[in-house]
Amino acid sequence: MDEMDVDKDLSFRRESTNNVLSFPNGNFRMKMAAGSFYIPRSDKAPLGEDAHFICGEEETIGVADGVGSWARKGIDPGEYSRQLVRNAELSIQKQKDQRNKIDPMEVLNEAYLNTKCQGSSTACILTLSCDTIHAANVGDSRFVVIRDGVIVYKSEIQQRGFNYPFQLGNGVELDDPSVAQEINATVRIGDVIVMATDGLFDNVRNHELEKLVHDGVGDLHKLETFSKMLAQKIAEYALQKSESKTVYTPYAEECSKAQIYRPGGKRDDITVIVAQILPR
């Protein structure tokens, strides 16, 4: 999550992961093929400011986006998001071992309490149980559910003002998990979930994301690495849009609403997780 100075030439390190998750659904089983792709923005902090995870057996995914303004104080903005994600994974494993069920709000709360470093971050955690998504979200990372090429659900962002999202962190003016949105939504076989940090959603419009997923399902659906490849395709499209100086992106639209003339995309870290719901 970056500030307004987004025009510097920066290098990128790309990372991808792929996992297959499965869970019971009534009298039959469904599986969720999940993969991710990450393009960090800053060459000053090679790991970038985003962090994410895919917990296969626990059927849980999540993203976190460190707040870039901490760099002005000499603090790596990505350290908080990375530690938050590591603590979330530990909480997920503990819940799995203790009761074989994941509560995203409990994960978020425990990860927050155990993250002691300076900094702050948005966070979005999602788990699947039977045919239902359970999610907890703080800030402007978010997810969509796409069905037959159309977005049927899009989580809301939380922000106090332009470019000022809710953010977890250790400090008087920062938030705790009590502000998180709790989300429940039903999914079907064939649905595609796209979870991402604002590096995607600031640069790519709904209809563009729908087309990317629709075309990707047609071109890649038979491949075992479908989710990872589609996540890469979406992330690289967002990167292309972010580098434009003229295209009218969602970020440019928000700037206009704030009485700021700022055409083009927004350079930022870009994390994308794609999960397709499939019959087992």
Side-chain angles (χ1 to χ4, degrees):
M1 184 190 315
D2 292 316
E3 269 78 45
M4 297 291 291
D5 54 336
V6 296
D7 296 324
K8 297 180 181 178
D9 289 328
L10 300 168
S11 63
F12 299 86
R13 182 172 63 88
R14 294 165 170 79
E15 291 183 352
S16 62
T17 58
N18 196 68
N19 285 278
V20 176
L21 327 178
S22 63
F23 59 96
N25 179 35
N27 295 322
F28 61 100
R29 294 183 65 83
M30 301 170 70
K31 63 182 180 181
M32 183 172 76
S36 65
F37 201 76
Y38 176 36
I39 306 176
R41 173 194 165 192
S42 177
D43 57 357
K44 294 182 180 179
L47 295 178
E49 298 169 1
D50 288 2
H52 70 282
F53 66 85
I54 299 175
C55 290
E57 292 185 8
E58 295 80 10
E59 301 158 7
T60 306
I61 59 178
V63 298
D65 182 356
V67 175
S69 58
W70 287 94
R72 298 172 185 167
K73 300 180 180 181
I75 296 169
D76 178 0
E79 181 56 32
Y80 188 93
S81 60
R82 290 190 292 271
Q83 191 174 126
L84 186 73
V85 160
R86 288 193 295 269
N87 288 327
E89 291 179 288
L90 291 173
S91 176
I92 289 164
Q93 185 59 58
K94 184 173 75 172
Q95 288 188 37
K96 180 73 171 181
D97 293 342
Q98 289 179 348
R99 60 177 183 267
N100 201 36
K101 183 179 180 181
I102 308 301
D103 180 345
M105 278 299 301
E106 185 175 330
V107 171
L108 189 64
N109 190 63
E110 188 167 358
Y112 166 78
L113 291 175
N114 290 327
T115 301
K116 305 299 184 181
C117 65
Q118 286 186 291
S120 58
S121 176
T122 69
C124 185
I125 298 173
L126 178 152
T127 192
L128 292 100
S129 177
C130 296
D131 62 348
T132 303
I133 291 169
H134 304 279
N137 185 64
V138 175
D140 58 4
S141 295
R142 63 199 313 184
F143 69 91
V144 300
V145 179
I146 298 178
R147 181 173 301 152
D148 298 323
V150 177
I151 293 174
V152 295
Y153 180 81
K154 186 173 187 178
S155 61
E156 298 294 328
I157 65 171
Q158 296 174 303
Q159 60 181 7
R160 292 184 168 81
F162 172 71
N163 215 27
Y164 184 23
F166 287 23
Q167 52 198 266
L168 301 174
N170 300 309
V172 176
E173 297 181 356
L174 299 173
D175 297 304
D176 62 48
S178 66
V179 304
Q181 300 168 314
E182 293 188 70
I183 301 164
N184 300 293
T186 302
V187 293
R188 301 177 186 172
I189 288 173
D191 286 355
V192 175
I193 300 166
V194 180
M195 176 183 285
T197 54
D198 63 340
L200 171 65
F201 294 107
D202 278 345
N203 290 297
V204 178
R205 294 188 173 276
N206 287 349
H207 70 89
E208 295 173 304
L209 185 54
E210 289 172 337
K211 187 176 189 305
L212 286 164
V213 170
H214 179 269
D215 293 348
V217 169
D219 295 339
L220 306 171
H221 75 282
K222 293 183 180 180
L223 300 177
E224 292 184 1
T225 56
F226 162 83
S227 296
K228 179 177 67 176
M229 294 178 69
L230 183 54
Q232 178 177 348
K233 182 178 180 180
I234 292 170
E236 290 181 341
Y237 182 83
L239 174 61
Q240 178 185 354
K241 293 291 294 294
S242 75
E243 293 173 334
S244 171
K245 303 298 183 184
T246 58
V247 68
Y248 193 59
T249 60
Y251 183 71
E253 182 177 353
E254 290 305 307
C255 286
S256 179
K257 292 178 182 177
Q259 307 300 312
I260 300 170
Y261 178 69
R262 172 57 169 75
K266 179 187 178 186
R267 295 286 290 273
D268 203 350
D269 299 308
I270 301 167
T271 298
V272 179
I273 300 176
V274 170
Q276 187 181 29
I277 307 301
L278 301 170
R280 188 168 178 82

